[in-house]
Amino acid sequence: MEEKLEQASACLPPGLRQRLVQLSMLEQKQCEEIRLRVGQPLQVTIQGREHALEGSKITSEDLTGTFGRATEYSVHTYSDSLRQGFVTLQGGHRIGICGQTAVQEGNVLSFRCISSLNIRIARQVKGAAPPELLLQLQQADHLYSSLFLSPPGRGKTTLLRDIARQMSEHSIRTALADERSELAALHHGMPQFDIGQHCDVLDGCPKADAAMMLVKTMSPQLLVLDEITSDADIHAAEYASHCGVAVLASAHAWNLDDFQLRPLYQRLLERKIFSRIFCIEADRHVTRIS
């Protein structure tokens, strides 16, 4: 079995793992997700489309067994990420969870019953940030705060991770505010992705709080935030910028016009934190638009 697929599927029961062998080697390399829904066949996502695999339907026992192995039979250890609906696996893969939840004062405490699981297969793309893009982010010793726009699925996180890795490898002190374990994907404290030698990570902490702590304690030259989704994120990016730290971040938008229509992002533009704005096109090409 292809290496990343084999690693991501390690938490599946043996019978379900065996079904993945039905896939050709090309399909295994292109596999993006493994989906388990109770009462439905095992499905895989390849190039954005779900495909059912032959075999019996998923049972509740399949789901609870997979969940147990994913959490190493210690749900308490993963309680913080479970409240956000996911668990990070060894290798940086992530398993999303749906079902009946236990909620207290508006906060998810745990899952009482699991109805579906989605294993997202993590594949690091070294070189996702080409040299010509890096030249636009740095001039001599100056780093430009930059924002990357795109709708979901065009590789914003993959791009930011690779920029961080390359900057870190060039001795730039880099800090990752990795709220959802997507940039470095710490597993027992060890990054599951290559993020370079000069990189510090705060994992699982709200990105606004993480950004403030990183700036105050790790003296980064570059702060990576991933998606800006709240006024608190804007405040943290502004604080870092005022402290002389360059900020890299992303936002959901199709283009600059779409970006400027959203009230949150209008407030972000007013702060003038980012000197450069880029758009990730459908073919993953990155174009500077401001």
Side-chain angles (χ1 to χ4, degrees):
M1 192 184 298
E2 189 268 337
E3 179 184 4
K4 291 296 183 181
L5 181 62
E6 182 173 20
Q7 187 179 49
S9 64
C11 59
L12 294 177
L16 294 183
R17 293 190 70 199
Q18 187 60 33
R19 294 190 207 172
L20 298 173
V21 180
Q22 299 175 21
L23 301 172
S24 68
M25 187 54 67
L26 177 60
E27 290 172 329
Q28 291 181 29
K29 290 180 179 179
Q30 293 177 335
C31 189
E32 301 160 4
E33 298 173 337
I34 306 167
R35 289 184 175 267
L36 293 77
R37 298 182 178 102
V38 67
Q40 300 296 326
L42 181 69
Q43 300 189 46
V44 294
T45 305
I46 298 174
Q47 296 184 327
R49 297 185 63 182
E50 290 187 23
H51 303 269
L53 301 183
E54 293 182 3
S56 57
K57 295 179 180 180
I58 300 297
T59 66
S60 296
E61 290 73 20
D62 292 329
L63 293 171
T64 55
T66 300
F67 179 73
R69 282 182 286 273
T71 58
E72 300 171 327
Y73 300 99
S74 177
V75 173
H76 176 74
T77 302
Y78 293 88
S79 58
D80 289 339
S81 66
L82 281 172
R83 281 194 285 269
Q84 299 183 65
F86 71 92
V87 169
T88 299
L89 307 174
Q90 185 174 2
H93 315 288
R94 191 168 66 171
I95 183 166
I97 306 153
C98 282
Q100 292 176 303
T101 60
V103 178
Q104 183 176 29
E105 296 180 356
N107 297 314
V108 174
L109 296 180
S110 63
F111 284 83
R112 288 198 300 251
C113 184
I114 298 172
S115 61
S116 61
L117 298 171
N118 179 30
I119 303 172
R120 298 185 64 181
I121 301 170
R123 302 183 190 277
Q124 183 165 16
V125 183
K126 292 188 176 181
E132 56 269 24
L133 173 60
L134 296 175
L135 289 174
Q136 297 183 70
L137 302 179
Q138 182 180 15
Q139 187 172 34
D141 292 331
H142 181 71
L143 297 170
Y144 293 99
S145 290
S146 301
L147 183 67
F148 295 86
L149 312 181
S150 92
R154 291 191 182 174
K156 293 188 297 298
T157 302
T158 298
L159 180 66
L160 287 179
R161 183 191 302 120
D162 197 56
I163 294 172
R165 177 188 66 84
Q166 294 194 58
M167 292 291 187
S168 172
E169 288 293 353
H170 284 85
S171 300
I172 294 170
R173 288 192 309 278
T174 303
L176 307 183
D178 198 6
E179 180 174 359
R180 291 184 58 83
S181 304
E182 294 180 303
L183 291 166
L186 295 187
H187 184 78
H188 297 312
M190 176 67 69
Q192 299 299 292
F193 296 114
D194 181 0
I195 54 173
Q197 301 179 51
H198 304 279
C199 194
D200 301 295
V201 184
L202 263 178
D203 180 288
C205 176
K207 71 175 80 68
D209 295 334
M212 302 285 274
M213 288 189 279
L214 286 164
V215 170
K216 291 176 180 179
T217 62
M218 305 309 293
S219 62
Q221 296 166 281
L222 177 66
L223 172 67
V224 182
L225 285 180
D226 207 353
E227 294 176 21
I228 289 181
T229 58
S230 69
D231 285 311
D233 296 344
I234 295 175
H235 176 69
E238 185 177 31
Y239 173 80
S241 179
H242 288 170
C243 292
V245 180
V247 179
L248 290 186
S250 65
H252 276 160
W254 286 93
N255 49 43
L256 186 59
D257 289 339
D258 182 34
F259 178 74
Q260 292 173 328
L261 287 174
R262 307 188 186 197
L264 175 68
Y265 295 148
Q266 290 172 8
R267 296 193 291 275
L268 176 61
L269 286 174
E270 290 171 0
R271 303 298 205 283
K272 297 182 179 180
I273 299 166
F274 298 100
S275 56
R276 303 194 170 180
I277 301 178
F278 298 85
C279 186
I280 305 175
E281 310 293 347
D283 60 0
R284 305 294 176 95
H285 180 75
V286 183
T287 304
R288 184 179 172 188
I289 56 177
S290 176

